[in-house]
Amino acid sequence: MCGIAGYFGRTPPSPERIETCQALMQRRGPDDTGSYAIKTQDGRFLNLLHSRLSIIDLNMRARQPFLNGNDSLCFNGEIYNYLELRGQLTQNASQFTTSSDTEVLSQLLARYGIEGVSRCEGMWAFAWFDSAKEQLFLCRDRFGEKPLYIYESQEDLFFGSEPKFIFALLGRKLEVDQTQLKRYLVNGYKSIYKSSNTFFKDLSEIPPGTYKIYDSKEVKTVKYWSPTFDQQDPFISYKEAVSRAKNALIQSVELRLRSDVPIAFCLSGGVDSNALISIAKREFDYDVHGFT
């Protein structure tokens, strides 16, 4: 679902590197490609690249990078409660030119700053440039559903949905991390997130529930969300627990069925995926298609 990539620093990638990166990105977003570039007051260069898989508002007006005044947003993911957020923003005098969740996120960030992500229910990896403060924000959703890799040197930042996008902009591949590769071959998937290492040396990921701020003075990492347990009802009955869990699941499925294109379910065969497809059909009479 979409691809993002970009650069922020003193020496921007050549047009040839940008073209190579955009060609690689099309597998993630075959419907459209876009780019945006500016030079800041202090002499830094910003490049944002996007490849789009259209899900909500298929019109070209919703293409990315999305510009809101002088601010720019490059976004991969989906904001499931975007209609509710749009209603709240409209009541506060925000005006919209699209029906996309991208513009809702852009307007939300413009009004509340990066803290606005706390109002979002969804999955995302995005780069947002606040032109007034000349700050670049890289943000990843609470559980890290959407990937966001970064490579940093003293003067340069490269980022992307996939390592190969960064390599294209950088003009070279990073060295394979042999230790991490061996750990994976021995221990499988459970070895991946035991440390911050990736399969390439000096390549890292924005952690889940985290955003990073880049400006002329510093780089700041902020953990904006961690799972918590609020034991408000310590003696809740089994029946009540089942009822609440079911209602929460139904509401979640309802939000995730919002789309301007047909939605299909990928079934693993377990209880969770079968519950989702069952709710979509029984509760909302959705024309279900599944892959298993």
Side-chain angles (χ1 to χ4, degrees):
M1 183 187 290
C2 299
I4 67 173
Y7 168 84
F8 194 45
R10 300 291 178 181
T11 309
S14 67
E16 291 76 19
R17 292 182 184 179
I18 290 175
E19 184 178 345
T20 299
C21 181
Q22 287 183 307
L24 291 171
M25 292 171 68
Q26 288 185 356
R27 62 175 290 276
R28 293 186 68 94
D31 296 325
D32 185 37
T33 58
S35 64
Y36 177 72
I38 61 166
K39 185 177 181 180
T40 64
Q41 293 293 324
D42 67 351
R44 290 173 298 159
F45 294 87
L46 171 70
N47 292 88
L48 296 178
L49 307 176
H50 189 269
S51 61
R52 187 184 184 198
L53 178 65
S54 302
I55 302 295
I56 297 174
D57 192 347
L58 311 185
N59 196 289
M60 288 293 288
R61 64 192 178 188
R63 72 192 307 249
Q64 297 185 54
F66 189 85
L67 302 182
N68 183 9
N70 292 320
D71 295 348
S72 50
L73 174 66
C74 201
F75 164 53
N76 169 32
E78 192 170 344
I79 308 300
Y80 299 125
N81 63 332
Y82 77 101
L83 293 179
E84 290 76 11
L85 293 172
R86 181 187 175 107
Q88 296 168 15
L89 289 164
T90 301
Q91 289 178 358
N92 290 315
S94 294
Q95 296 182 342
F96 292 84
T97 60
T98 78
S99 58
S100 68
D101 59 333
T102 301
E103 186 176 17
V104 170
L105 177 58
S106 177
Q107 294 274 19
L108 192 74
L109 293 170
R111 179 173 291 274
Y112 300 108
I114 192 65
E115 292 80 10
V117 297
S118 64
R119 300 167 181 257
C120 297
E121 180 177 347
M123 53 180 178
W124 63 78
F126 67 76
W128 174 58
F129 185 69
D130 184 336
S131 59
K133 297 179 180 178
E134 294 199 330
Q135 290 179 323
L136 177 68
F137 296 83
L138 297 183
C139 182
R140 200 167 174 209
D141 62 66
R142 295 174 180 87
F143 294 100
E145 292 182 73
K146 291 301 176 184
L148 186 51
Y149 293 91
I150 58 173
Y151 171 76
E152 299 174 278
S153 65
Q154 192 164 0
E155 290 283 333
D156 302 304
L157 163 71
F158 296 85
F159 60 90
S161 300
E162 299 181 27
K164 66 181 70 173
F165 302 165
I166 294 174
F167 300 163
L169 294 176
L170 189 59
R172 61 182 175 88
K173 291 183 179 181
L174 296 177
E175 185 180 349
V176 172
D177 187 328
Q178 295 286 346
T179 300
Q180 179 69 356
L181 181 60
K182 291 173 183 176
R183 288 180 66 245
Y184 178 73
L185 291 174
V186 172
N187 299 305
Y189 178 81
K190 63 183 179 180
S191 69
I192 295 179
Y193 296 111
K194 295 297 184 182
S195 70
S196 60
N197 293 23
T198 68
F199 290 116
F200 300 94
K201 291 183 178 180
D202 300 321
L203 186 74
S204 59
E205 290 184 89
I206 300 291
T210 301
Y211 61 79
K212 298 192 75 167
I213 309 171
Y214 296 85
D215 61 26
S216 59
K217 298 179 181 178
E218 63 177 346
V219 178
K220 186 177 180 181
T221 302
V222 178
K223 182 75 172 176
Y224 70 85
W225 183 85
S226 295
T228 59
F229 176 64
D230 183 10
Q231 193 171 1
Q232 294 179 345
D233 300 313
F235 302 110
I236 184 173
S237 68
Y238 175 80
K239 183 178 181 180
E240 179 67 12
V242 170
S243 177
R244 290 190 190 184
K246 180 180 179 180
N247 289 336
L249 196 57
I250 290 173
Q251 292 172 15
S252 296
V253 172
E254 183 178 19
L255 288 180
R256 285 154 180 78
L257 289 177
R258 291 172 173 172
S259 174
D260 293 332
V261 295
I263 294 176
F265 290 78
C266 292
L267 296 173
S268 65
V271 172
D272 50 356
S273 58
N274 279 282
L276 300 181
I277 203 168
S278 175
I279 289 170
K281 183 62 179 177
R282 293 185 180 184
E283 299 290 334
F284 304 109
D285 196 28
Y286 191 80
D287 185 17
V288 166
H289 294 267
F291 295 88
T292 184

